[in-house]
């Protein structure tokens, strides 16, 4: 019988170096810490294969799209040839350096911190086994192991023509024909990117596009998308074949679609199954996320497991970096609680969610339908960009800001914007909703620079106030 190696014991053990990487101490008097991560590039999803590289590609796509669109405004002879290899190398030339610098700092920056670049599995509540057989245990465990791309039943990732968001950004060149399976954020952002880079994109969506968003927003986006790439809703892929050069997808309607590459973007699943959190008896949601309490403590049978916390995609219903980072701040506070501070609750207000596609989409909170289901006496107002001076400059007939308001308290239950700069325009509404501010006086109680795009929000607020 082989004996188990003795456990290396730490004060703090962190699994996952995405938002988990904000937790190790900066000073040499801090807790003895180990941080483990098995990612091919150090620093987690957002930095290496998520938010940051995608938005660097999206910005280029926005530039291209706006320039092509300029013809409509009377600007002619705009010729653009975006170079995929050049943009890709610029993006990863920047990002890989940051990742390598971060890894080197973790390795050598603080003797109290040990970096373990291996996959681990849970052995006990606060103990893990690494792939090479090291046992690591700790007084406090933080599980920040994130999520991974969901695989498709019939489109195998073993084919070199099939990608997820993890691999597609490093390909040699933009494919001539690309099929994107999925109707969520990742699919809609990459459809914008590749269509701007000249690929002939076919987006295959099982239900409707962006089905979790306000129906008018989703419909407006779908209509705009259809002007630039093919969008097939209510369509499933039932068969796949390839000959090394061309992939053929067969839909449930019997259509055969030939492409040079496929992107599978059908959601992300939490890494609890691969980590072994079921085996140690922690509580899970039906979709595989860890259950935590308001203090980010992991639960077993509904009670906090002593010294075990989780943060980010592995527990949150919002798979978003700003949420993972906030949860990391809550955990950082709560693991230092022995030093006398009170536990911090995760009580932040509505979560803004942006889809960086074209047109851009930004929203938080509920739709009117959902507000009514929740029992609110609520109403909605809509203001189009085209009814403001900035909208005239853009020649915009499509974009709008929609607000869902609770009649009694006059607070914002939801905001849904589709159009240029939606993310930035949303923020004053996030502010008002987060602080429970009534919309009474919000529009007229401050200056709104004329003729900026923010007048769309000002006018939506004015409209809402009239309806109260
Ligand atoms: C294409 C794409 C675009 C996105 N764009 C945005 C955006 O614009 N804005 C936004 O807010 N969010 C965006 N997101 C979501 C965002 O990236 C995630 O919500 C966030 O990165 C989650 O952080 P995390 O710390 O929970 O997990 P991660 O950053 O995924 O870190 C988890 C780490 O744990 C490691 N790990 C997992 N299991 C083990 C194990 N058993 N042993 C050792 N290590 C392990 C993984 O290798 C990984 O490095 C995007 C995601 C994707 C995929
Ligand atoms: N800008 C951002 O903030 C941003 C960008 C990209 C990703 N993300 C985060 O990453 C998460 C994952 O993104 P995503 O786009 O993969 O997921 P998603 O949950 O947004 O969308 C998944 C889509 O795939 C469909 N789907 C699921 N299973 C399917 C199947 N078997 N066949 C066909 N379609 C199927 C769903 O109906 C849905 O349309 C998002 O939820 C988001 O939180 C955020």
């Amino acid at each position: 019988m082989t004996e188990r190696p003795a456990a290396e014991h730490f004060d703090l053990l962190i699994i996952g170096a995405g938002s988990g990487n904000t937790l190790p101490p900066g000073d040499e008097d801090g807790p003895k810490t180990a941080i483990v991560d098995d990612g091919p590039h150090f620093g987690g999803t957002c930095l290496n294969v998520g938010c940051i590289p995608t938005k660097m590609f999206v910005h280029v796509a926005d530039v291209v799209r706006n320039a092509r669109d300029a013809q409509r405004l009377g600007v002619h002879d705009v010729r653009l040839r975006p170079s995929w290899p050049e943009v890709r190398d610029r993006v990863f030339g920047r990002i890989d350096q940051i990742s390598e610098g971060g890894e080197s700092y973790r390795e050598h920056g603080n003797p109290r911190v040990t970096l373990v670049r291996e996959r681990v599995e849970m052995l006990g509540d606060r103990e893990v086994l690494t792939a090479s057989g090291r046992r690591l245990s700790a007084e406090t465990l933080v599980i920040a192991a994130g999520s991974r791309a969901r695989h498709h039943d019939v489109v195998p990732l073993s084919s070199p023509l099939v990608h997820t968001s993890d691999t597609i950004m490093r390909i040699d060149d933009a494919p001539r024909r690309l099929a994107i399976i999925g109707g969520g954020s990742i699919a809609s952002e990459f459809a914008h990117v590749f269509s701007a880079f000249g690929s002939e994109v076919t987006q295959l969506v099982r239900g409707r596009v962006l089905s979790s968003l306000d129906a008018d927003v989703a419909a407006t986006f779908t209509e705009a998308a259809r002007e630039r790439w093919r969008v097939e809703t209510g369509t499933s892929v039932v068969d796949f074949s390839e000959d090394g050069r061309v992939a053929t997808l067969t839909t449930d309607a019997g259509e055969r679609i030939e492409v040079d590459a496929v992107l599978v973007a059908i959601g992300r699943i939490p890494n609890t199954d691969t980590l072994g959190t079921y085996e140690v008896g922690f509580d899970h949601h039906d979709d595989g996320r860890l259950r935590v309490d308001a203090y980010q403590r992991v639960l077993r049978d509904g009670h906090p497991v002593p010294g075990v916390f989780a943060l980010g995609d592995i527990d949150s219903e919002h798979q978003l970096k700003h949420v993972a980072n906030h949860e990391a701040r809550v955990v950082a506070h709560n693991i230092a609680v022995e030093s006398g501070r009170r536990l911090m609750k995760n009580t932040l207000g509505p979560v803004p969610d942006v889809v960086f596609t074209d047109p851009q989409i930004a929203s938080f909170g509920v739709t009117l339908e959902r507000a009514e289901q929740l029992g609110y006496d609520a109403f909605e107002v809509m203001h189009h960009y085209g009814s403001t001076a900035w909208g005239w400059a853009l020649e915009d007939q499509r974009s709008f800001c929609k607000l869902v308001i609770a009649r009694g308290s006059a607070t914002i239950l939801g905001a849904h914007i589709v159009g240029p700069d939606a993310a930035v325009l949303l923020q004053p509404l996030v502010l008002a909703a987060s602080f429970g501010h009534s919309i009474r006086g919000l529009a007229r109680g401050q200056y709104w620079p004329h003729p900026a795009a923010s007048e769309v929000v000002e006018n939506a607020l004015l409209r809402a106030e009239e309806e109260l």
Side-chain angles (χ1 to χ4, degrees):
M1 197 176 104
T2 50
E3 266 185 38
R4 275 188 169 181
E8 300 164 55
H9 194 69
F10 296 88
D11 299 320
L12 174 62
L13 172 61
I14 302 156
I15 306 172
S19 292
N21 192 38
T22 60
L23 297 174
D27 56 48
E28 297 188 11
D29 301 326
K32 187 181 168 207
T33 301
I35 180 161
V36 295
D37 194 290
D38 68 344
H41 301 276
F42 181 80
T45 301
C46 178
L47 174 64
N48 294 296
V49 288
C51 338
I52 296 177
T54 52
K55 268 79 257 186
M56 291 174 83
F57 280 103
V58 164
H59 175 64
V60 176
D62 288 348
V63 169
V64 172
R65 157 91 174 111
N66 286 337
R68 286 190 185 140
D69 197 39
Q71 189 145 325
R72 216 170 40 87
L73 306 176
V75 182
H76 299 290
D77 291 332
V78 181
R79 274 172 240 264
L80 291 166
R81 270 192 318 112
S83 159
W84 177 271
E86 210 175 297
V87 174
R88 179 203 57 204
D89 290 349
R90 181 177 58 75
V91 169
F92 290 107
R94 183 100 185 247
I95 283 171
D96 290 349
Q97 256 186 30
I98 297 169
S99 167
E100 285 156 20
E103 180 159 12
S104 169
Y105 173 72
R106 271 290 158 254
E107 191 134 32
H108 310 292
N110 184 345
R112 296 285 287 168
V113 179
T114 302
L115 173 63
V116 180
R117 294 290 275 127
E118 291 191 55
R119 167 162 287 231
V120 295
E121 275 177 34
M122 302 290 295
L123 277 182
D125 285 3
R126 282 168 284 118
E127 186 173 344
V128 299
L129 180 68
T130 75
S132 71
R134 285 168 75 181
R135 275 173 67 203
L136 312 174
S137 63
E139 298 300 305
T140 303
L141 172 70
V142 178
I143 304 176
S147 61
R148 63 183 187 277
R150 176 179 285 127
H151 292 192
H152 194 280
D153 288 345
V154 298
V155 183
L157 283 179
S158 54
S159 162
L161 303 183
V162 178
H163 295 271
T164 66
S165 51
D166 287 351
T167 54
I168 192 122
M169 285 182 276
R170 290 188 191 250
I171 58 178
D172 292 341
D173 212 338
R176 188 168 71 77
R177 299 164 301 178
L178 173 69
I180 300 181
I181 305 177
S185 312
I186 295 181
S188 303
E189 291 184 354
F190 277 114
H192 167 44
V193 167
F194 280 101
S195 104
F197 274 89
S199 298
E200 200 180 286
V201 174
T202 303
Q203 190 178 354
L204 299 166
V205 188
R206 197 175 52 173
R208 73 167 167 89
V209 179
L210 297 173
S211 55
S212 61
L213 298 185
D214 175 88
D216 289 331
V217 167
T220 299
F221 167 70
T222 309
E223 184 187 284
R226 282 194 165 126
E227 290 168 9
R228 279 165 303 125
W229 64 87
R230 184 175 165 205
V231 183
E232 288 301 326
T233 51
T235 301
S236 294
V237 176
V238 293
D239 195 27
F240 172 87
S241 63
E242 57 118 324
D243 63 7
R245 252 178 352 96
V246 175
T248 305
L249 302 175
T250 306
T251 70
D252 53 354
E255 187 186 358
R256 285 161 59 83
I257 300 170
E258 290 194 346
V259 290
D260 307 294
V262 182
L263 170 65
V264 176
I266 56 172
R268 292 179 64 82
I269 49 177
N271 287 325
T272 43
D273 53 348
T274 47
L275 185 58
T277 51
Y278 287 90
E279 284 76 357
V280 289
F282 294 164
D283 292 348
H284 296 79
H285 294 273
D286 290 345
D287 60 9
R289 285 178 294 121
L290 281 171
R291 281 187 188 273
V292 294
D293 66 7
Y295 306 99
Q296 297 298 137
R297 295 180 298 191
V298 171
L299 302 175
R300 175 189 285 130
D301 299 330
H303 301 289
V305 184
V308 183
F309 295 82
L311 65 92
D313 282 9
I314 201 149
D315 74 87
S316 177
E317 64 176 308
H318 304 283
Q319 294 177 324
L320 295 168
K321 182 63 173 172
H322 39 286
V323 174
N325 282 346
H326 176 66
E327 291 189 352
R329 287 190 283 273
V330 173
V331 169
H333 178 101
N334 290 343
I335 59 182
V337 85
E338 286 103 276
S339 58
R341 290 187 290 173
R342 286 177 50 158
L343 283 178
M344 181 197 266
K345 263 193 181 176
N346 187 352
T347 52
L348 263 199
V351 177
D353 191 340
V354 177
V355 189
F356 294 86
T357 181
D358 183 60
Q360 198 175 88
I361 297 167
S363 61
F364 69 78
V366 294
T367 60
L368 179 61
E369 191 185 359
R370 183 74 191 125
E372 285 171 350
Q373 283 165 1
L374 293 170
Y376 283 100
D377 175 13
F379 65 93
E380 68 179 20
V381 292
M382 197 194 251
H383 196 86
H384 279 86
Y385 284 46
S387 308
T388 64
W390 189 245
W392 304 344
L394 300 177
E395 282 296 343
D396 189 309
Q397 307 299 331
R398 196 174 252 154
S399 309
F400 62 82
C401 167
K402 186 191 262 196
L403 302 180
V404 180
I405 306 291
R407 206 174 288 280
S409 60
T411 50
I412 305 169
L413 299 174
H416 312 272
I417 305 180
V418 54
D421 297 317
V424 179
L425 294 180
L426 189 76
Q427 197 57 34
L429 299 166
V430 176
L431 181 78
S434 297
F435 291 91
H437 205 297
S438 151
I439 60 157
R440 288 197 172 86
L442 208 54
R444 280 290 162 261
Q446 60 185 317
Y447 283 113
W448 301 78
H450 179 72
S454 51
E455 287 184 340
V456 177
V457 175
E458 178 197 15
N459 280 295
L461 286 167
L462 276 176
R463 255 183 204 210
E465 213 172 336
E466 281 164 16
E467 297 256 335
L468 282 172

